[in-house]
């Protein structure tokens, strides 16, 4: 699989997940458990992504500048900062920590 | 929580000019605010190794921010070998859009049999957190339709434009680690997760998912820990509990910045 193929397959599947909500009889998907699992999925996946993006280096677990970025992002979100502010602060934190030789 | 849009059969009529302006103002301000951080997606995507076309294709064709960030994040750490896991994660993250569609179809499909397929396809493509939230927040069906379409189109335009800006900027700045772009990715994922942690079972799910992913990293290929983390949602969702209202998009007016 080339990267372009992967991108296009993922795009097609994302469209399918959206379209299915318009074409299926709601009865089929409105089971309480199905709805609960689907509602919780983003929280689980995003938490998993945060772990991998923060402490994984291939198969190794490492503590480096990224953990600093995560902590700063959490503090800012807790203080009600907006998305762009949080993202830029994450980048600046990681860059500064590396500059002073941490991570 | 916004009031639910009245659905089929509600009396229809013209919106007053003031109401119409208010809905349009809300739609476009959400669209512009959301679209602006397409710049961070564009930059992270090229830093992860996607080219300009692949990056732009994601914003134009996938058009659901969380999934886009996830795909490039996993490919960025695991390379092409992680592509199947990246595709699976992106797809699962988009399932919520299908759940929004179950609600938005009540005001978008007026007489399902007569809605042209092109219109349904366009509605599906534009069904994301913001368009659903603005649409569902309107009490009148006409305002709900107006809000959904304008928000969807506004986000689409600005998100794609800013993706291009970010991708062009990202491709000239060199090694992403030096610039802290990996820190930006971490921060972006946390910002996407944050508004979803209001319900107790969502917090529990995130905690269990975190532990699962941490434990699995040394043992499975890149990308797979995220898929295993999804098991947390299945287990906790099936066990049940109080989730409150199901499948509500984060409200861009009360949840801080809108999340794509």
């Amino acid at each position: 699989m080339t990267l372009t193929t992967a991108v296009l397959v993922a795009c097609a599947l994302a469209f399918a997940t959206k379209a299915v909500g318009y074409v299926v009889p709601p009865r089929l998907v409105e089971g309480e458990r199905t709805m609960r699992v689907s509602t919780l999925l983003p929280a689980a996946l995003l938490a998993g992504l945060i772990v991998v993006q923060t402490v994984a280096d291939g198969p190794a677990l490492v503590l480096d500048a990224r953990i600093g970025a995560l902590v700063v992002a959490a503090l800012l979100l807790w203080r009600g900062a907006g998305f762009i502010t949080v993202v830029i602060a994450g980048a600046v934190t990681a860059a500064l920590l590396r500059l002073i030789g941490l991570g | 929580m916004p009031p639910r849009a009245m659905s089929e059969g509600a009396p229809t009529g013209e919106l007053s000019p003031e109401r119409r302006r208010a809905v349009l103002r809300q739609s476009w301000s959400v669209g512009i605010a959301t679209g602006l951080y397409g710049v961070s997606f564009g930059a992270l995507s090229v830093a992860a190794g996607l080219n300009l076309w692949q990056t732009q294709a994601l914003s134009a064709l996938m058009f659901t921010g969380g999934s886009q960030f996830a795909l490039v994040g996993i490919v960025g750490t695991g390379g092409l070998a992680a592509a199947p896991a990246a595709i699976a994660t992106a797809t699962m993250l988009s399932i919520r859009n299908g759940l929004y569609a179950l609600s938005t179809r009540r005001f978008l499909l007026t007489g399902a049999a007569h809605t042209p397929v092109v219109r349904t396809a366009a509605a599906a493509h534009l069904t994301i957190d913001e368009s659903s939230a603005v649409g569902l927040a309107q009490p009148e069906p006409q305002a709900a339709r107006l809000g959904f379409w304008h928000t969807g189109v506004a986000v689409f335009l600005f998100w794609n434009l800013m993706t291009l800006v970010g991708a062009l900027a990202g491709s000239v700045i060199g090694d992403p680690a030096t610039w802290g772009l990996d820190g930006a990715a971490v921060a972006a994922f946390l910002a996407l997760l944050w508004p979803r942690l209001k319900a107790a079972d969502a917090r529990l799910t995130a905690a269990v998912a975190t532990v699962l992913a941490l434990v699995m990293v040394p043992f499975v290929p890149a990308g797979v820990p995220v898929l295993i983390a999804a098991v947390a949602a299945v287990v906790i969702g099936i066990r049940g509990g109080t989730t409150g209202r199901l499948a509500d998009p984060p409200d861009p007016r009360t949840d801080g910045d809108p999340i794509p």
Side-chain angles (χ1 to χ4, degrees):
Chain A
M1 177 157 33
T2 69
L3 193 48
T4 299
T5 315
V7 163
L8 293 177
V9 168
C11 290
L13 288 171
F15 179 78
T17 61
K18 296 170 173 178
V20 81
Y22 288 96
V23 295
V24 298
R27 221 177 297 276
L28 282 185
V29 285
E30 276 181 343
E32 206 186 327
R33 283 181 177 178
T34 314
M35 292 291 272
R36 258 200 315 260
V37 171
S38 315
T39 307
L40 291 174
L41 258 184
L45 292 166
L46 289 168
L49 275 164
I50 290 168
V51 168
V52 169
Q53 299 279 314
T54 309
V55 295
D57 183 8
L61 294 174
V62 295
L63 289 182
D64 59 21
R66 294 171 297 174
I67 198 93
L70 185 70
V71 171
V72 169
L75 284 172
L76 284 170
L77 286 163
W78 178 58
R79 302 294 299 170
F83 187 91
I84 277 284
T85 312
V86 172
V87 171
I88 292 173
V92 170
T93 305
L96 286 179
L97 287 174
R98 289 208 180 90
L99 201 66
I100 60 171
L102 295 174
Chain B
M1 280 292 168
R4 268 298 145 103
M6 291 295 101
S7 53
E8 61 273 280
T12 49
E14 289 298 307
L15 285 177
S16 71
E18 297 79 43
R19 269 297 283 145
R20 199 181 147 79
R21 268 199 302 276
V23 173
L24 291 182
R25 197 163 49 234
Q26 193 188 355
S27 301
W28 284 84
S29 55
V30 168
I32 292 167
T34 308
L36 281 180
Y37 54 81
V39 73
S40 55
F41 170 73
L44 288 172
S45 181
V46 294
L50 281 78
N51 66 30
L52 189 90
W53 291 107
Q54 292 158 345
T55 299
Q56 203 63 51
L58 284 174
S59 281
L61 303 177
M62 180 177 275
F63 188 52
T64 174
S67 299
Q68 294 178 227
F69 277 111
L71 187 93
V72 303
I74 295 174
V75 168
T77 49
L80 206 51
I87 293 169
T89 303
T91 305
M92 284 198 287
L93 269 172
S94 182
I95 288 174
R96 71 182 191 286
N97 295 315
L99 297 181
Y100 300 157
L102 294 174
S103 302
T104 56
R105 67 192 271 174
R106 295 193 199 117
F107 58 79
L108 287 174
L109 309 187
T110 45
H114 304 297
T115 308
V117 74
V118 174
R119 193 181 173 83
T120 308
H125 194 52
L126 295 180
T127 301
I128 54 172
D129 292 329
E130 290 78 19
S131 53
S132 307
V134 172
L136 290 167
Q138 312 304 325
E140 322 93 318
Q142 318 93 294
R145 279 192 290 277
L146 190 69
F148 174 90
W149 285 108
H150 277 267
T151 307
V153 169
V155 175
F156 187 85
L157 291 177
F158 287 103
W159 179 255
N160 274 279
L161 181 68
M162 296 315 287
T163 296
L164 180 63
V165 171
L168 291 173
S171 45
V172 297
I173 63 173
D175 180 11
T178 320
W179 292 85
L181 274 181
D182 50 351
V186 166
F189 283 119
L190 188 63
L192 290 169
L193 173 63
W194 202 264
R196 302 189 172 278
L197 293 181
K198 276 188 270 184
D201 55 356
R203 287 194 294 273
L204 177 64
T205 302
V208 174
T210 300
V211 174
L212 281 175
L214 267 177
V215 170
M216 295 317 294
V217 163
F219 304 108
V220 296
V224 179
V226 181
L227 296 180
I228 293 172
V231 172
V234 177
V235 172
I236 293 166
I238 287 176
R239 271 184 62 244
T242 48
T243 319
R245 182 134 67 191
L246 295 167
D248 262 331
D251 188 332
R253 293 156 313 157
T254 56
D255 293 340
D257 256 11
I259 302 300

